[in-house]
């Protein structure tokens, strides 16, 4: 059976071999054609509460359980009917700054993309149940654009070393993901799917139009790239102390490993799915 990933032998082009829904009618991500979007009612997305996850569960995936208190971070309004409770946040990136986001806007990709995943806690009893329903999930997508270092993002990148190896977990508490959102919550919205297997078509996407900034990694990437050695060890170029403050944020994501402790080290340089056919779906904006 295919163990899906992002390499040539198991990447997005092969997912349909195990997950036929990959060719479905509401797959994500998409290329948003701004001139073809339709205006919907001037309806604002509302966020409230705070996020206090117990731990980071996988690489760049920070999650909390279904039984978080009712004061947990929730999403309402906009295209949503009811209350959607935060489940997890995760990131997608590429091997360079030219492409890393999953969604595109008029054919243009951003350096990376943040997904803030919520589930319909008002209608369903668990995330697993919600993920199998057409209105079960709501994912807020935020583009990361190369610019100044983002001090809010440092709260995450500063902890990545503790979970650098696949399967590692670390405590990550008292973090509010709303600090990663842009000032404007203007958005595009459409009906889509998860962008990773099992690719369930259960997502109401809310793609924010304003990106947030993230440090460029054009020079630091070379210094931070892991080298695969015959002995299975990973060596790093040494960086002078005077330059350590310039170690950039995207390079820290690219230094995460897709391999476990007993495997030859291999960096997760990219983890995005390319845009999928729109197949007649409507993309709206507020």
């Amino acid at each position: 059976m295919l163990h899906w990933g992002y390499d040539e032998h198991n990447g997005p082009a092969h997912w349909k071999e195990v997950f036929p829904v990959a060719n479905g009618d509401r797959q994500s991500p998409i290329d948003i054609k701004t001139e073809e979007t339709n205006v919907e009612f001037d309806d604002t997305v509302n966020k409230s509460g705070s996020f206090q996850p117990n731990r980071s569960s996988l690489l760049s995936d920070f999650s909390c359980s279904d039984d978080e208190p009712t004061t947990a971070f929730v999403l309402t309004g906009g295209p949503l009917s009811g209350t959607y409770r935060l489940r997890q946040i995760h990131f997608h990136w590429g091997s360079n700054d030219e492409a890393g986001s999953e969604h595109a806007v008029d054919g243009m990709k951003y350096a990376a993309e943040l997904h803030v995943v919520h589930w319909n806690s008002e209608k369903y009893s668990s995330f697993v149940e919600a993920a199998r329903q057409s209105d079960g999930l709501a994912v807020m997508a935020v583009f990361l654009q190369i610019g100044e270092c983002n001090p809010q993002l440092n709260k995450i990148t500063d902890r990545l070393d503790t979970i650098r190896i696949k399967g590692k977990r670390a405590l990550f508490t008292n973090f509010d993901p709303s600090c990663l959102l842009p000032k404007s919550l203007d958005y595009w919205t459409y009906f889509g799917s998860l962008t990773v297997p099992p690719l369930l078509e259960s997502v109401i996407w809310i793609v924010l139009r304003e990106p947030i900034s993230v440090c460029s990694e054009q020079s630091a990437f070379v210094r931070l790239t892991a080298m695969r050695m015959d002995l299975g060890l990973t060596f790093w170029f040494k960086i002078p102390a005077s330059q350590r403050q310039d170690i950039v944020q995207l390079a820290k994501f690219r230094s995460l490993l897709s391999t476990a402790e007993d495997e030859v080290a291999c960096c997760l340089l990219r983890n995005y799915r390319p845009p999928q056919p729109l197949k007649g779906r409507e993309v709206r904006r507020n």
Side-chain angles (χ1 to χ4, degrees):
M1 181 177 177
L2 176 75
H3 292 284
W4 68 271
Y6 294 92
D7 296 323
E8 185 175 350
H9 70 283
N10 65 359
H14 294 281
W15 293 353
K16 61 187 177 184
E17 298 167 13
V18 179
F19 306 96
V21 73
N23 290 328
D25 292 334
R26 53 176 283 187
Q27 286 293 292
S28 296
I30 61 170
D31 183 0
I32 299 170
K33 305 294 185 182
T34 57
E35 293 299 321
E36 299 174 7
T37 59
N38 297 314
V39 178
E40 66 171 17
F41 293 111
D42 184 11
D43 213 353
T44 303
V45 173
N46 303 302
K47 53 183 175 61
S48 64
S50 61
F51 181 40
Q52 298 185 348
N54 295 321
R55 60 183 61 85
S56 56
S57 58
L58 293 171
L59 296 179
S60 57
D61 177 336
F62 299 81
S63 59
C64 55
S65 64
D66 292 349
D67 57 359
E68 290 289 331
T70 56
T71 56
F73 190 93
V74 297
L75 199 62
T76 59
L80 306 178
S81 297
T83 300
Y84 285 71
R85 181 177 296 183
L86 180 68
R87 171 66 180 193
Q88 53 125 281
I89 66 174
H90 63 264
F91 295 82
H92 296 272
W93 61 88
S95 59
N96 59 64
D97 293 344
E98 302 304 316
S101 66
E102 298 207 295
H103 288 86
V105 180
D106 293 327
M108 185 189 79
K109 300 290 287 289
Y110 285 85
E113 185 170 329
L114 161 66
H115 289 167
V116 188
V117 183
H118 304 74
W119 60 283
N120 192 335
S121 59
E122 190 171 302
K123 193 172 181 180
Y124 305 109
S125 61
S126 70
F127 175 84
V128 172
E129 180 187 3
R132 299 187 178 280
Q133 310 302 320
S134 62
D135 62 347
L137 305 181
V139 180
M140 180 176 281
V142 182
F143 294 121
L144 277 66
Q145 179 176 268
I146 295 302
E148 296 181 357
C149 285
N150 188 325
Q152 303 300 334
L153 192 58
N154 282 339
K155 296 175 182 179
I156 291 178
T157 57
D158 287 349
R159 299 297 308 278
L160 290 182
D161 286 344
T162 64
I163 53 168
R164 185 166 168 264
I165 298 173
K166 179 181 178 181
K168 286 289 186 180
R169 295 169 178 258
L171 292 175
F172 192 81
T173 58
N174 300 320
F175 176 72
D176 185 345
S178 65
C179 71
L180 297 176
L181 302 182
K183 293 180 180 179
S184 172
L185 296 185
D186 287 344
Y187 60 87
W188 296 288
T189 183
Y190 74 99
F191 293 107
S193 72
L194 298 174
T195 63
V196 298
L199 305 170
L200 299 173
E201 295 183 334
S202 56
V203 180
I204 300 172
W205 280 94
I206 299 171
V207 182
L208 298 188
R209 287 188 257 167
E210 180 183 336
I212 62 173
S213 68
V214 63
C215 289
S216 173
E217 53 74 58
Q218 293 173 343
S219 61
F221 177 54
V222 175
R223 300 197 298 267
L224 286 169
T225 302
M227 298 185 298
R228 296 168 93 181
M229 310 300 286
D230 290 339
L231 296 178
L233 302 176
T234 301
F235 294 86
W236 300 88
F237 292 104
K238 291 187 177 180
I239 303 172
S242 61
Q243 299 180 23
R244 285 173 189 164
Q245 294 300 317
D246 297 328
I247 296 177
V248 294
Q249 295 164 329
L250 277 180
K252 289 190 176 183
F253 282 109
R254 294 178 183 125
S255 72
L256 295 172
L257 301 181
S258 61
T259 47
E261 286 184 302
D262 58 347
E263 299 174 327
V264 175
C266 183
C267 286
L268 184 60
L269 297 180
R270 54 168 287 176
N271 67 343
Y272 63 87
R273 187 189 192 193
Q276 303 300 301
L278 193 57
K279 295 189 176 181
R281 284 175 288 173
E282 180 184 46
V283 180
R284 298 173 293 163
R285 68 182 188 276
N286 71 331

